[in-house]
Amino acid sequence: MIKKITGFALLLSLLSMLIVLTYAAFFVRSAIKAAPELDLQKIIASSSTKIYDKNDRLILELGLKKSEYTTYNQISSNMINAITAVEDERFFSHHGLDYKRLVGATLQNVLSKKYSEGASTISQQLIKNAFLTSDKTLNRKVQEMYLAYELEKYLTKEQILEAYLNNILFGRRIYGIERASNYYFGKKASELLIEEAAMLAGMIQLPNFYNPYINIEDTLARRNLVLYLMCKNKYISKEMMEDLQNKPIVLNKNNNLLNENFTVYSSYLDYVIQEAHLDYNFDLYGLDLKVYTNVDPLVQKSIYEIMNNETQIFPDDKIKAGIIFMDNKTGIIEGIGGQREFESLNVNYATSVRLQPASTIKPILEFAPAFEYLRYNPANLILDDKITYSNGELINNWDGQFKGHITIREALVDSRNIPALKLYQELDKAKIYEFLTKLNLHTYDPPLEAHSIGGFSDGFTVLAMTNAYQMFANEGDFIEAKAIRKIEFQNNSYSANNGPKRLLSKETSFLITDILHDAISDTSEEIKGMYLSAKTGQSNYPYDIRMKYDIPKEAVKDSWFIGYSKNKTLGVWTGYDFIDGTSYLDSASRDISRVIWTQLMRLYGIYDQKAPEVPSGLTKANVEIIGNKLYLADKIGPNTFTDYFLNGTLPRTKAK
């Protein structure tokens, strides 16, 4: 009986294995059948991505031009040795696939229960860049391996390395070994020294991270690892390795290879590359792509001039800034300012740096939900008095004063912290954080009372906050911000879907817009002929930091200004990314964000805009406050005022 069971189990195991192998063979056959044609012209010739503006005008070309192509014999043997040592040590002996490395990577993936790229040879990398997207799928990996194997039937090892080194990215949009050699070291690729070749070879893994101009320590460590691998593969001796590892990286100081268009569009391009990867699974490196963006060349040029202080707004070069200019009807991003200094290419303060939102979060986190979920009105009274957080910590208003009973409208116009906290405490936390998530304002924090006044540990980008405010301008419809209209690749066209999503009622959006219009009326930011709404925000220094660095009480860490008209939304952040005795915004420099906002809105906002139409769900009424209570006013008098009320929520008339 036991023998029968054992035999049956063995038969079942063999049958299961046969089914798995049959399925695997079918899957591989299907993947190979769907693989693109191996077009050698795309491998040998240079490929570049063309970037177009909103008017379909070519503004940039990313990649290597044919005139810059370098032959194998024009590349230093030091570079050949370095690149094979770090990227593909058995390159000259395998046939497109490194089976030893592949088995090792497969076992590691199985043990970790994760799928990763792993084990890609130089031939595979060349195939992926020329023909495939960056999808981390098994289907794409099978196609990559198949085409790499086929590639080595037609091209020599020298031709493959030549094509690879001519099309690979070396950081900062520098493509190709010749351009990289010139840019970083001021010499031809044939003249590269061992330590220089090692640095360039090390950059390929993370080209914008291992950038010696902005990250010298990590780049040096990576270079030294490549030198170790060159020693391990017997390209250099141990003594030479140790000698070269102790040498500093000596860079070319005259490296102005990038044209004016690149510098003007660099901040925008950063986000185009990010969006292309996240939304389309395309890396814009070495692919023959056409990318049609939403950038407005006039807006972008003005933002660039502001960021580089051509308009003399910034008092010094240490102040950072982030700017997002959007069109409301379509959700397109027309301009981005993320770096004041071109050297800071890996830090975009508009799209990648998460910042504390300060008081700009209040309309989103407390006031709009209070109207939407609690059916409060702008004229409702709220007590602005001394209060603590639930843990006993004291909270203050920006002016250190308490106003007593004030309307919700006044609380938001004057950006009072205590009313904001009280509204937060009343609201359903699950609802308001779900609302944040739908607005792409993702936080890693648990619900915290400090959030009510912008005290997030992680914060949000200028892009995310500006995009959220755009919802108010769109009467409650949220349209996800996009930099790319479409991408064309191999006769196919790809476009993202960012249609509007209703997140707030028209009534709530109108009330927020109306109140934030009051906040900007009769200020220097008011622009005649335009109906505008805006909110400020500033982050203060903690008491211990102010004492340590002797920072004035009125100084702030950073300053926000986010505002909109019917057609455009503009978000501006300015501040410092470090703290010392001189790095703070004083009473004058904290208004820089306001000045930038007003300048750009004057230039590119649309004039002659009327106030938004009042939704049918709102009623306008005269009211008065008697004994800290709100009543309908039976007649207009010196103590009455007018405001909007959600239908069915009018206050009662005072009993006579």
Side-chain angles (χ1 to χ4, degrees), residues 385-406:
D385 64 349
K386 190 174 182 179
I387 190 177
T388 64
Y389 290 114
S390 298
N391 64 3
E393 183 183 345
L394 188 67
I395 177 175
N396 286 308
N397 290 309
W398 61 268
D399 58 1
Q401 304 296 316
F402 308 109
K403 288 192 171 184
H405 284 91
I406 58 175

Side-chain angles (χ1 to χ4, degrees), residues 587-604:
S587 56
S589 57
R590 65 186 181 186
D591 286 334
I592 292 173
S593 58
R594 294 170 179 260
V595 176
I596 293 172
W597 188 90
T598 307
Q599 220 177 77
L600 288 171
M601 196 59 86
R602 282 186 190 278
L603 285 171
Y604 302 108

Side-chain angles (χ1 to χ4, degrees), residues 321-340:
I323 302 172
I324 295 290
F325 195 95
M326 299 183 65
D327 178 82
N328 296 335
K329 296 186 187 307
T330 57
I332 67 174
I333 307 171
E334 295 186 325
I336 298 176
Q339 304 113 7
R340 288 205 54 217

Side-chain angles (χ1 to χ4, degrees), residues 120-151:
S120 289
T121 63
I122 287 175
S123 301
Q124 287 175 257
Q125 293 178 50
L126 185 58
I127 286 292
K128 184 187 77 170
N129 290 341
F131 298 105
L132 306 171
T133 69
S134 296
D135 291 340
K136 290 192 175 184
T137 63
L138 190 57
N139 186 71
R140 202 273 293 157
K141 193 68 177 178
V142 169
Q143 292 179 349
E144 176 191 297
M145 293 167 67
Y146 164 71
L147 291 173
Y149 183 81
E150 290 295 301
L151 177 68

Side-chain angles (χ1 to χ4, degrees), residues 231 236-246:
C231 175
I236 58 176
S237 66
K238 184 179 179 181
E239 292 74 21
M240 182 176 288
M241 175 196 74
E242 292 173 347
D243 179 57
L244 294 175
Q245 285 178 336
N246 288 321

Side-chain angles (χ1 to χ4, degrees), residues 179-385:
R179 192 187 292 186
S181 300
N182 191 358
Y183 182 80
Y184 291 106
F185 301 112
K187 58 177 62 176
K188 296 179 180 179
S190 60
E191 301 170 336
L192 286 170
L193 302 176
I194 296 172
E195 65 272 24
E196 295 168 340
M199 190 205 85
L200 293 177
M203 291 181 68
I204 290 172
Q205 183 187 59
L206 294 169
N208 282 326
F209 179 75
Y210 294 120
N211 186 325
Y213 287 109
I214 56 180
N215 188 7
I216 188 65
E217 291 185 5
D218 288 308
T219 306
L220 185 63
R222 179 70 177 167
R223 182 206 68 175
N224 288 347
L225 173 63
V226 177
L227 289 170
Y228 163 77
L229 293 172
M230 292 179 75
C231 175
K232 179 185 173 186
N233 285 277
K234 299 183 172 20
Y235 292 122
I236 58 176
S237 66
K238 184 179 179 181
E239 292 74 21
M240 182 176 288
M241 175 196 74
E242 292 173 347
D243 179 57
L244 294 175
Q245 285 178 336
N246 288 321
K247 285 191 173 185
I249 293 176
V250 181
L251 296 169
N252 173 31
K253 294 181 180 179
N254 300 313
N255 53 9
N256 188 22
L257 296 181
L258 305 176
N259 62 28
E260 181 186 0
N261 261 8
F262 180 85
T263 56
V264 169
Y265 291 95
S266 61
S267 289
Y268 200 97
L269 181 59
D270 277 349
Y271 192 67
V272 167
I273 292 170
Q274 179 181 331
E275 192 175 288
H277 179 71
L278 293 176
D279 288 2
Y280 301 88
N281 286 314
F282 279 119
D283 285 331
L284 306 188
Y285 304 144
L287 290 179
D288 187 17
L289 299 172
K290 290 183 178 179
V291 180
Y292 295 88
T293 75
N294 295 312
V295 67
D296 184 313
L298 296 177
V299 172
Q300 188 62 32
K301 183 75 183 303
S302 293
I303 290 176
Y304 173 77
E305 290 171 352
I306 287 171
M307 295 293 285
N308 286 274
N309 217 20
E310 292 182 24
T311 53
Q312 299 296 304
I313 290 176
F314 298 99
D316 61 59
D317 292 335
K318 295 179 181 178
I319 298 178
K320 309 300 181 184
I323 302 172
I324 295 290
F325 195 95
M326 299 183 65
D327 178 82
N328 296 335
K329 296 186 187 307
T330 57
I332 67 174
I333 307 171
E334 295 186 325
I336 298 176
Q339 304 113 7
R340 288 205 54 217
E341 299 171 87
F342 182 64
E343 293 299 323
S344 301
L345 188 62
N346 67 331
V347 179
N348 191 315
Y349 284 89
T351 62
S352 61
V353 179
R354 296 172 71 99
L355 305 156
Q356 285 196 11
S359 290
T360 60
I361 199 65
K362 290 174 182 175
I364 299 167
L365 189 61
E366 292 101 44
F367 288 87
F371 298 146
E372 188 82 359
Y373 307 136
L374 303 179
R375 290 185 64 75
Y376 284 178
N377 297 299
N380 287 155
L381 297 176
I382 192 165
L383 183 58
D384 178 23
D385 64 349

Side-chain angles (χ1 to χ4, degrees), residues 88-99 152 157:
D88 192 353
E89 63 181 350
R90 283 177 285 275
F91 173 74
F92 286 101
S93 59
H94 65 60
H95 298 285
L97 305 176
D98 188 339
Y99 296 106
E152 299 225 1
K157 292 289 186 179

